[in-house]
Amino acid sequence: MSVPQTPHMFGASTTAAEVIDGIDLHGRRAVVTGASSGIGVETARALASAGADVTLAVRDTDAGARVVARLKAELPPTSGQLTVGRLDLADRSTVAAFVAAWHGPLHILVNNAGVMAPPDLIRTPDGRETQFAVNHLGHFALAVGLHPALAAADGARIVSVASIGHLFSPVVFDDLDYRYRPYDPWTSYGQSKTANVLFAVGAAERWAGDGITANALMPGNIADTSLARHMDMQQVADFIASGELALPPQKTVEQGAATSVLLAASPSVEGITGRYFEDCAQSEPVAERAGAVAGVAPYALAPENAARLWSVSEALVG
C-alpha cells in the first residue's frame, strides 16, 4: 500500500541549507546531540542560520567548542546563539545533569548522536550493550527527562536519527544485551536503529496531547562522518562483498542533514508524527531486507512493539 507523501520539492540530493531556506526560527530553542561532527554539525548550522538558539549536546566539549567557534565565524549575524552542553549517552549521570541544567521550553530535540558496529562486544558501566545503550537508551532518557520542556514549547518536534540498518534486526526483547547469543555488530546496530524508529512511534502516541510530534529518519549513506569510528573496515568490505549489506548512493554531509532539518523545522511536515522518512519524504514499507536500499520494515512502525519497547526502556533507565 502506498504511503502518503509530504508536500515538498526536495529529494535525495537536497541539502540542509535548501530545506531551511526561508524558514524563520527566531525565538526557538533546539538541542542537537552528537553535534561535534558529521551531520550533527550541519543540522546545528542550518537551525542556527534560521535563528534558532542551538545547544550542541556532545561528549567532547572541547570539540563542541571548536565547532561553535567555526560556525559563529561562518554564519550571518542574524543567526541564533550556539552553546555547548556535556552529554555522554552511555553515562546516565551526564544525561541527568544535562536535563537538570535545562530551563525553559525546548522546541526542537534532534537525537542525532550514535555509534555504529564496533567489532567486539562492549558494555556500558551499567552492563548494557553499547549500541543499544547509546543509540536508544541514552536518547530515551534524555527525551523523557526533557519532556516537560518539550511540552512547554507548544508544538515541539523530536527528530530521531535512525538508519536503513534497522533492516538488519528487529528489537530482540529477550536478549537486548547479547547475553545468550553471539554478539554480531550488525544485528546489534540494527536493533538499536529499529529502537530509534519505535521510540518515535511511542512518543507520537504518548505525547500528542502535549503538542509534541516525533519522527524518525534515515539520513543516507554518508562517507564523511565519525559514526563509523569504531568499525573494522575490512569487516565492512567483506560484508558488502558477501551481498549482506546493500547501500544507497553516497551523500555529502550537507545532503545527509537535510531530512533531519526537514523534520525539525519545515512547515511541510507540520502535524505529521510517528513516521519514518528518507530523502526528505515518507518511506515505503519493505517486505524483506535482501537487496533493499530504502524503505522501512513493518516491525519498526508496529504500535505494539513501540509500546513494549517504551515499557522496557522505562524499566532500564529507572
Side-chain angles (χ1 to χ4, degrees):
M1 184 174 67
S2 177
V3 174
Q5 297 297 299
T6 52
H8 56 72
M9 297 182 295
F10 304 138
S13 62
T14 301
T15 65
E18 290 169 335
V19 171
I20 206 69
D21 185 43
I23 295 174
D24 184 1
L25 296 179
H26 286 90
R28 308 285 183 90
R29 302 170 76 202
V31 169
V32 182
T33 71
S36 60
S37 64
I39 65 171
V41 173
E42 295 309 314
T43 301
R45 179 199 303 274
L47 297 177
S49 74
D53 294 333
V54 183
T55 298
L56 283 62
V58 298
R59 223 166 24 94
D60 184 344
T61 53
D62 289 339
R66 289 192 293 272
V67 170
V68 165
R70 188 175 89 235
L71 292 181
K72 284 182 176 179
E74 296 169 354
L75 288 169
T78 55
S79 299
Q81 296 297 307
L82 290 157
T83 56
V84 178
R86 162 86 170 142
L87 180 71
D88 182 347
L89 292 164
D91 182 345
R92 284 189 208 167
S93 68
T94 75
V95 177
F98 187 93
V99 168
W102 188 269
H103 299 287
L106 174 61
H107 302 85
I108 299 165
L109 172 61
V110 184
N111 289 335
N112 167 81
V115 61
M116 181 178 182
D120 300 311
L121 175 63
I122 305 169
R123 298 197 189 278
T124 61
D126 57 348
R128 306 266 76 89
E129 187 276 318
T130 292
Q131 293 193 82
F132 188 77
V134 170
N135 296 348
H136 169 63
L137 286 177
H139 280 128
F140 178 85
L142 178 68
V144 169
L146 290 172
H147 172 253
L150 292 160
D154 189 23
R157 298 187 184 190
I158 300 173
V159 180
S160 184
V161 179
S163 170
I164 192 174
H166 81 274
L167 298 179
F168 292 147
S169 178
V171 175
V172 181
F173 288 100
D174 292 327
D175 193 19
L176 295 172
D177 296 308
Y178 287 83
R179 298 189 183 280
Y180 299 98
R181 54 189 166 134
Y183 172 75
D184 176 79
W186 293 110
T187 60
S188 171
Y189 181 67
Q191 83 161 354
S192 76
K193 294 289 106 178
T194 295
N196 290 154
V197 185
L198 290 173
F199 165 74
V201 175
E205 172 67 23
R206 281 161 180 77
W207 296 344
D210 298 313
I212 299 168
T213 60
N215 292 287
L217 70 116
M218 156 65 169
N221 174 20
I222 305 151
D224 185 16
T225 173
S226 66
L227 179 64
R229 62 189 178 276
H230 298 296
M231 291 169 58
D232 181 330
M233 299 314 294
Q234 183 57 52
Q235 180 189 57
V236 176
D238 293 342
F239 200 35
I240 293 172
S242 72
E244 289 293 314
L245 180 63
L247 292 174
Q250 280 197 353
K251 290 185 178 184
T252 65
V253 177
E254 294 81 6
Q255 292 168 337
T259 307
S260 292
V261 173
L262 178 97
L263 293 175
S266 176
S268 71
V269 295
E270 185 74 34
I272 293 175
T273 191
R275 310 291 179 87
Y276 176 86
F277 282 68
E278 56 199 330
D279 297 337
C280 296
Q282 290 183 54
S283 300
E284 297 283 351
V286 294
E288 62 180 27
R289 188 184 86 191
V293 294
V296 60
Y299 57 70
L301 293 175
E304 62 273 20
N305 291 343
R308 184 178 182 186
L309 178 65
W310 196 280
S311 295
V312 167
S313 301
E314 283 184 325
L316 291 177
V317 303

